[in-house]
Amino acid sequence: MRFPLRWRLLLLTGAAPAVLALGTYAYLSGVVTAQVRRDVDDSLTRAALVFEKQFGERSEALGVAARVIVRDPRFFSAVALPGGAADPGARATVRGIALDFQRLTHADVFEVWDRRGRVLASIGASASSPGDRARLMQEAARGREFSGLLVDRQAHWQVALAPVTADGALVGALLVGSAIGPELARELHVLTRGEVTFVDDGFPTGTSLADTADVRAMLVGVGARLQHPSAVPVEILEHSGAWVTLARPLPGTLASQGQSFVIQRPLGEEIAFLRRAQKALLELALIAVLIAGVLSVITAERITRPILALVRGAEAMERGDYDAPIEVGGADEIGYLGSRFREMRAREREYVTALEEVARLKSEFISLASHQLRTPITVIKGYNELFYEGALGNLTPHQRQALAAIQESVEGLVRLTEDATRMAQIEGERLILDREHQDLAPLVGEAVAEAQRDAIGRHLTVEQHLPEGLVLAYVDGPRLAQALANLVRNGIRFTPEGGRVDVRLNTDPAGCVLEVTDTGVGIAPEQQKQLFTRAFMVRDVAHLHSSNTLEFGSAGLGLGLAIARGIVEAHGGTIAVESTPGKGSVFTIRIPRLALLPPGSRGPRERRQGPDEGARSAA
C-alpha cells in the first residue's frame, strides 16, 4: 500500500512537534508535582524543627522560672518553716505564696514539696502522682534539677524541678509544669500552619484537628510509624482528603516510650495548584500541537501541491494529453523542477508527434506494400500451380520437389502479407469485425487444424477440451480463429518433442474463456510484460533459428501474439499469460458476456458433437 507524500510530510512536520509538546507537558507536570511535594515535605520538616526548638525553649523557660522562684526569700522562708506538711499553718502560708507565683507563671502544674516529698501546696489544673514525686525527690535529694516529661493516664506534661536547700541541706522542692495538650496544639497550628496532634501510646492527648474522623484515620495511618518514626513525611488518606504527615517522638523521649507528636499538612491546596498548573501546561501543549499541526498542513500543502500538479501532468502525458495545465511557480527548487518539467513535456510532445508520424507512414507503407505484393504473389502462385499440375508440360521428380518448395515459400509470403496488413489495421485502429452468431467449438477446431498444418514433422500432442452443447457468441469467427491459431502456433513452436498443447473452451458468468496450455520452455517474468507488443519474440538461445514452419525454438516475425491481442481487444476481451520458465505457459482469452449471444437466441446452425470430439490428435 502506497503511503502518500502528504501524509508522510504531515507525520514528519506535525507528529514530531506534537510528541515533543506532549512529552514536554508530561515532563514539566512531573517536575512540578515532585517540586510541590518536596516543598510540602520541607515545610513539614521545618515545622517539626520549629516545634522541637520551641519545646526546648519552653523547657528552659520552665527551669528558669523554677530556679528564680526557689531563690525568692519569701518562697524560701515559707518552705523552710518548721512543721512541714503536718503543720496546717505552714501549708496555708506556702499555699498563699505559691498562688501568687502561679499567677505569674500560669503553670498547669505548680507543686511545693517538703524535704520528704510531701505536698505542701498544689496550685494548677493538674497534679503529680506519688510515684512521680518519689522518683523526682531522688533527683532533688542529690541536689540536681530535673527537666522532662510527666506521663499519667494518657496525659503528659512538660515539667521542671528545682530543689530548695538551706546550708546544703534539702528542705523542699518546687515542681513547675505545662500541659502538652489541645491548647499547645492550637498554638503550634498557628505557628507552623499545620495540624498538630500529641499522642500518648496511641491515644491523642491534644490535637488541632477539628474532625474526629480525621484523628482516627491519622492514628491508623501512623500507628506503625509511631513505634518506628521516620524523618520522611508520608501521605495518608483521611476522611477530609489526602494529608502529608510527619510523626516524631517528643523531644527528650524515646520512640519506644510512645510519646510522639504528629504534624500534618492537607494536600487540597497543593492538589488544586497542581491541577491549575497541569491545566495551564496542557493548554500550552495543545496550543503548541495546534500550531504545529497548522504549520505542518501549510508546509505539506506548499510542498505537495506542486508535486501533485507534476504527477497529474505526468498522468496526462501518459494518456496523451500534453496540454494539461501545470501550476508550479516560484523561484525555489520546486519552481525550477516545474519549469524543467514543462520544457521536457514540450520536447516529449515533439518526439511523440514525430514517432506517431513515423508510425503512420510505416503503417501506410506496410499496408500499401502488402496490397501491392498480393498481385505478383498471386501470379507466382497461379503459375506454380499450373506447372505443378502439369498443365505446362511434364515434370521430373526434382522439378516437382522444387515447385513444392516454391509453393511453401509463397504460402509463407502470403501469410506474411496478411499478418502485416492485419497489424497495420490494428495499429491504425482500422480493424473491422464482421460479426455473426457463431458456435465457438467449431472455431476452436478450425484454429487447431490451421496451426497443425504448419507443424508437419513435430511429435507432440495437441488436444481439445470442449464443453457439451452449444457455446454461442456474437463474434467475427475467422478473426477469432486466427487469434486462437496464433496462440496454438506459439505453444507448438516453443514446446519440445514429446510435449503437449491443450486447448480448452469454457464459460463463466463474465463470458467465455479460451485457454491454450503448453509444456514448453516458459517465459521469464521480465519478458511477460512486453510479450504482446509488436515484433516481440521469445528467444531460446539453445534452439533459436528461423523457419517458415513450427520447428521447436524457431523464430517467426513476432507478430502473432500482437495480432491475437488486437483481435481479442477489438471484441472487447482480454488476453493474459501465466508462465513459469522450464514448465510451460497458459494463455487465456476472455470474451465478455456482451459479445455472447443473448439468452434465448438461436444460432444460425446447430452442431452435433460426435463421439470422437475432445479426443487428442497428433500433430
Side-chain angles (χ1 to χ4, degrees):
M1 179 179 179
R2 188 179 65 177
F3 195 54
L5 177 62
R6 179 190 298 272
W7 292 107
R8 280 184 285 172
L9 288 174
L10 288 174
L11 183 63
L12 291 175
T13 59
V19 171
L20 180 60
L22 294 177
T24 303
Y25 160 74
Y27 171 75
L28 291 179
S29 178
V31 169
V32 171
T33 302
Q35 185 61 45
V36 169
R37 180 57 188 270
R38 282 195 297 270
D39 292 343
V40 173
D41 293 349
D42 292 343
S43 67
L44 279 184
T45 303
R46 288 193 298 270
L49 294 176
V50 169
F51 166 71
E52 291 173 350
K53 181 179 180 181
Q54 185 188 23
F55 195 88
E57 292 175 351
R58 188 182 185 201
S59 178
E60 185 177 351
L62 287 173
V64 170
R67 288 193 296 272
V68 169
I69 292 172
V70 298
R71 286 178 175 81
D72 186 90
R74 285 198 316 148
F75 181 83
F76 176 78
S77 356
V79 175
L81 288 174
D87 186 356
R91 290 202 305 270
T93 302
V94 173
R95 179 176 178 80
I97 296 174
L99 185 60
D100 292 337
F101 282 108
Q102 194 274 338
R103 291 192 184 101
L104 294 174
T105 60
H106 302 286
D108 297 314
V109 177
F110 197 99
E111 292 183 352
V112 182
W113 303 337
D114 64 7
R115 61 187 180 83
R116 295 181 180 180
R118 294 174 297 182
V119 178
L120 294 174
S122 179
I123 309 298
S126 303
S128 63
S129 65
D132 290 333
R133 288 195 295 273
R135 178 170 57 85
L136 293 176
M137 280 306 295
Q138 293 178 2
E139 298 292 331
R142 298 185 182 95
R144 294 185 299 189
E145 296 178 351
F146 172 81
S147 179
L149 295 179
L150 290 183
V151 180
D152 183 31
R153 297 179 182 178
Q154 297 178 343
H156 36 210
W157 302 269
Q158 187 177 11
V159 298
L161 176 69
V164 182
T165 61
D167 296 329
L170 180 67
V171 296
L174 173 63
L175 181 66
V176 181
S178 296
I180 301 176
E183 185 177 352
L184 180 59
R186 287 190 291 270
E187 292 177 1
L188 291 174
H189 167 68
V190 175
L191 182 64
T192 63
R193 294 186 302 171
E195 302 296 340
V196 180
T197 302
F198 298 107
V199 181
D200 176 21
D201 198 16
F203 181 83
T205 60
T207 181
S208 61
L209 290 170
D211 193 341
T212 57
D214 287 339
V215 177
R216 289 193 297 268
M218 180 272 297
L219 292 175
V220 173
V222 300
R225 293 181 176 86
L226 292 176
Q227 301 297 325
H228 305 284
S230 172
V232 180
V234 296
E235 184 175 337
I236 297 177
L237 185 62
E238 298 182 4
H239 180 264
S240 58
W243 296 69
V244 178
T245 305
L246 178 63
R248 289 188 179 182
L250 286 171
T253 65
L254 299 177
S256 59
Q257 294 176 338
Q259 309 302 311
S260 306
F261 70 96
V262 180
I263 299 181
Q264 296 177 282
R265 283 281 303 276
L267 289 177
E269 295 181 1
E270 284 72 15
I271 291 176
F273 169 76
L274 282 176
R275 288 176 178 173
R276 291 193 300 271
Q278 290 173 347
K279 181 180 178 181
L281 290 174
L282 181 59
E283 290 175 353
L284 291 176
L286 293 178
I287 292 173
V289 170
L290 180 61
I291 294 174
V294 172
L295 293 178
S296 65
V297 170
I298 295 175
T299 303
E301 184 68 17
R302 290 179 62 87
I303 294 177
T304 58
R305 179 184 294 176
I307 294 178
L308 288 176
L310 294 176
V311 171
R312 295 189 188 99
E315 293 174 348
M317 288 176 58
E318 188 177 1
R319 296 190 302 268
D321 181 8
Y322 292 88
D323 296 320
I326 301 177
E327 299 177 356
V328 178
D332 55 5
E333 290 80 358
I334 295 181
Y336 175 76
L337 178 62
S339 62
R340 298 295 294 174
F341 184 87
R342 285 189 288 269
E343 295 175 3
M344 180 199 70
R345 185 175 67 171
R347 292 194 298 269
E348 181 74 11
R349 182 174 187 173
E350 295 176 357
Y351 178 70
V352 170
T353 302
L355 289 180
E356 289 175 349
E357 180 64 18
V358 170
R360 184 186 65 80
L361 294 175
K362 180 190 65 177
S363 298
E364 290 181 357
F365 172 76
I366 292 176
S367 179
L368 180 62
S370 300
H371 179 73
Q372 294 297 327
L373 284 174
R374 289 190 179 188
T375 299
I377 290 175
T378 302
V379 173
I380 295 172
K381 184 177 180 181
Y383 276 106
N384 185 74
E385 291 177 353
L386 291 176
F387 274 115
Y388 192 81
E389 293 173 357
L392 299 180
N394 296 328
L395 299 175
T396 64
H398 291 291
Q399 290 175 335
R400 287 185 176 277
Q401 185 177 1
L403 291 174
I406 294 173
Q407 181 68 19
E408 180 180 351
S409 298
V410 169
E411 290 177 355
L413 191 58
V414 169
R415 188 182 303 113
L416 173 61
T417 58
E418 290 180 351
D419 288 347
T421 302
R422 197 76 61 226
M423 196 67 223
Q425 292 173 347
I426 292 173
E427 289 184 345
E429 298 183 354
R430 300 190 306 273
L431 180 62
I432 299 175
L433 299 179
D434 184 12
R435 298 194 186 198
E436 62 180 356
H437 296 156
Q438 298 277 341
D439 181 8
L440 297 185
L443 294 182
V444 174
E446 294 174 8
V448 172
E450 182 180 349
Q452 286 178 325
R453 283 196 293 270
D454 296 332
I456 299 175
R458 296 298 310 278
H459 300 285
L460 48 82
T461 301
V462 180
E463 186 173 352
Q464 305 175 43
H465 303 271
L466 306 176
E468 296 181 358
L470 298 177
V471 181
L472 299 178
Y474 189 64
V475 296
D476 186 334
R479 298 285 76 78
L480 187 60
Q482 180 184 6
L484 182 60
N486 286 348
L487 296 183
V488 177
R489 287 192 186 96
N490 185 79
I492 294 174
R493 188 188 301 273
F494 293 101
T495 299
E497 304 299 331
R500 61 181 296 119
V501 178
D502 294 285
V503 184
R504 291 179 174 83
L505 171 62
N506 297 301
T507 59
D508 61 17
C512 67
V513 180
L514 294 164
E515 287 186 354
V516 178
T517 305
D518 64 63
T519 59
V521 296
I523 305 169
E526 61 273 9
Q527 294 179 327
Q528 295 178 22
K529 297 180 181 179
Q530 52 182 341
L531 185 63
F532 296 101
T533 58
R534 181 178 55 83
F536 177 79
M537 292 180 290
V538 178
R539 302 182 182 276
D540 181 5
V541 297
H543 307 90
L544 181 64
H545 61 283
S546 299
S547 175
N548 290 330
T549 61
L550 301 181
E551 298 179 21
F552 175 58
S554 60
L557 293 178
L559 300 178
L561 296 181
I563 292 174
R565 176 186 178 182
I567 293 173
V568 170
E569 291 181 349
H571 283 84
T574 60
I575 184 170
V577 61
E578 295 180 4
S579 181
T580 302
K583 294 184 178 180
S585 306
V586 178
F587 289 83
T588 304
I589 295 176
R590 296 183 181 274
I591 302 298
R593 181 162 294 277
L594 294 176
L596 300 182
L597 195 66
S601 299
R602 182 178 179 87
R605 58 186 178 84
E606 294 184 358
R607 180 179 68 87
R608 296 183 180 273
Q609 184 177 9
D612 58 342
E613 288 189 15
R616 71 176 61 180
S617 58

